[in-house]
């Protein structure tokens, strides 16, 4: 697995939350040597801020050495996104997670990937889907099974692609387009505005299910998969 087992897998990503996509980032070897918290003033804070800016958790044009309230909030957002304890402190677990999500590269399209296919290209796709939060399996097995198909389908829905569960050139291109720029893509601006209030309600509802166990095919608060999670949240809002 590319992501540490310490990362909680229970929460799926839905359109209101966007999706996570990453590229190679060389994390400074010094970063992680010490605990960073509000009030810290150190060069490591600048490095951390640069990483958070790259991952779209911190909205800033300039990274400085001050660990202020804005930095703490960005760290909390990062921790929340990956199921870590939200304390706003950059410690060993948060550093380990940052390193893990910073090592993935773009995909190379060689063929259309669909149900029942297997190979290293399927494995590469699964690894990225897992990092993005769309795929939840215990072991990457290089086989394009129902869970991989479902993960691709949900990714396509988030990015308004043809939702067929097949990883064709357009889907791979969408992933790589994101990988070439912002790592964690924000929700398109066109979806904001008039529907903002409903979006906030959906987000609030989604947060209520943090910690719910993953259950393939589940559609209730006792356990659900990605699709079940989405259905449950939207159903609660009519």
């Amino acid at each position: 697995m590319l992501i540490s087992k310490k990362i909680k897998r229970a929460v799926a990503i839905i359109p209101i939350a966007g999706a996570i996509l990453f590229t190679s980032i060389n994390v400074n070897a010094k970063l992680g040597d010490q605990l960073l918290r509000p009030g810290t003033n150190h060069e490591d804070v600048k490095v951390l801020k640069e990483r958070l800016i790259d991952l779209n958790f911190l909205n800033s044009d300039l990274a400085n050495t001050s660990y202020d309230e804005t930095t703490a909030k960005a760290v909390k957002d990062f921790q929340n996104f990956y199921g870590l304890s939200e304390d706003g402190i950059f410690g060993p677990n948060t550093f380990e997670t940052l390193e893990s999500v910073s090592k993935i590269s773009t995909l190379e399209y060689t063929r259309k990937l669909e149900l029942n296919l297997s190979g290293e290209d399927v494995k590469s796709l699964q690894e990225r889907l897992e990092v993005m939060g769309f795929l939840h399996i215990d072991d990457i097995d290089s086989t394009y099974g129902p869970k991989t198909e479902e993960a691709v389908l949900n990714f396509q829905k988030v990015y308004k692609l043809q939702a067929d569960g097949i990883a064709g050139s357009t889907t791979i291109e969408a992933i790589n387009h994101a990988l070439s720029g912002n790592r964690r893509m924000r929700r398109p601006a066109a979806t904001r505005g008039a529907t903002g209030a409903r979006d906030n309600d959906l987000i609030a509802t989604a947060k209520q299910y943090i910690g719910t166990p993953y259950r393939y095919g589940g559609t209730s608060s006792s356990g659900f998969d990605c699709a079940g999670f989405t259905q449950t949240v939207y159903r609660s809002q009519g």
Side-chain angles (χ1 to χ4, degrees):
M1 297 293 177
L2 292 179
I3 293 297
S4 168
K5 292 295 184 180
K6 295 179 181 178
I7 298 177
K8 188 185 301 180
R9 298 161 165 275
V11 181
I13 306 301
I14 60 175
I16 59 170
I20 328 165
L21 294 167
F22 302 95
T23 189
S24 298
I25 306 172
N26 293 319
V27 177
N28 191 311
K30 288 179 58 181
L31 189 62
D33 286 351
Q34 63 174 309
L35 208 65
L36 303 179
R37 61 173 72 238
T40 301
N41 195 306
H42 192 275
E43 191 65 26
D44 284 4
V45 177
K46 181 179 179 180
V47 176
L48 170 61
K49 283 186 171 183
E50 289 171 348
R51 302 297 176 256
L52 293 172
I53 290 170
D54 281 341
L55 294 170
N56 260 339
F57 284 96
L58 181 61
N59 185 16
S60 176
D61 295 327
L62 180 65
N64 56 33
T65 60
S66 175
Y67 201 113
D68 52 19
E69 291 184 5
T70 303
T71 306
K73 182 182 183 303
V75 171
K76 284 184 178 181
D77 288 343
F78 178 87
Q79 291 168 332
N80 173 270
F81 210 85
Y82 289 101
L84 303 173
S85 176
E86 296 176 52
D87 56 10
I89 297 173
F90 189 75
N93 289 344
T94 306
F95 172 67
E96 180 183 345
T97 303
L98 180 63
E99 276 202 310
S100 296
V101 302
S102 298
K103 294 177 181 178
I104 193 163
S105 60
T106 57
L107 290 168
E108 180 181 355
Y109 179 75
T110 56
R111 59 172 176 162
K112 182 170 63 176
L113 301 178
E114 55 189 332
L115 197 62
N116 298 325
L117 288 180
S118 62
E120 286 300 310
D121 49 357
V122 175
K123 180 180 179 181
S124 294
L125 174 64
Q126 289 175 322
E127 289 172 342
R128 283 144 185 81
L129 290 170
E130 183 186 39
V131 168
M132 289 187 285
F134 287 92
L135 183 62
H136 303 273
I137 55 178
D138 293 331
D139 294 299
I140 298 295
D141 58 8
S142 305
T143 299
Y144 203 112
K147 290 185 179 181
T148 303
E149 183 182 49
E150 179 188 27
V152 170
L153 184 67
N154 286 325
F155 172 84
Q156 291 168 331
K157 289 177 179 178
V158 167
Y159 287 98
K160 302 188 183 303
L161 304 174
Q162 180 181 350
D164 55 11
I166 298 172
S169 59
T170 301
T171 297
I172 298 301
E173 182 181 0
I175 294 174
N176 287 339
H177 177 72
L179 288 169
S180 68
N182 292 328
R183 280 51 164 185
R184 181 175 68 101
M185 293 189 69
R186 292 173 175 150
R187 193 174 180 196
T191 64
R192 298 174 182 162
T195 59
R198 182 168 187 267
D199 289 348
N200 290 334
D201 290 340
L202 287 168
I203 292 171
T205 300
K207 286 183 176 180
Q208 294 176 9
Y209 295 109
I210 291 176
T212 300
Y214 177 85
R215 181 173 299 165
Y216 181 66
T219 58
S220 71
S221 58
S222 62
F224 36 52
D225 54 19
C226 297
F229 176 66
T230 304
Q231 293 169 10
T232 300
V233 172
Y234 275 91
R235 186 169 57 244
S236 69
Q237 297 297 317

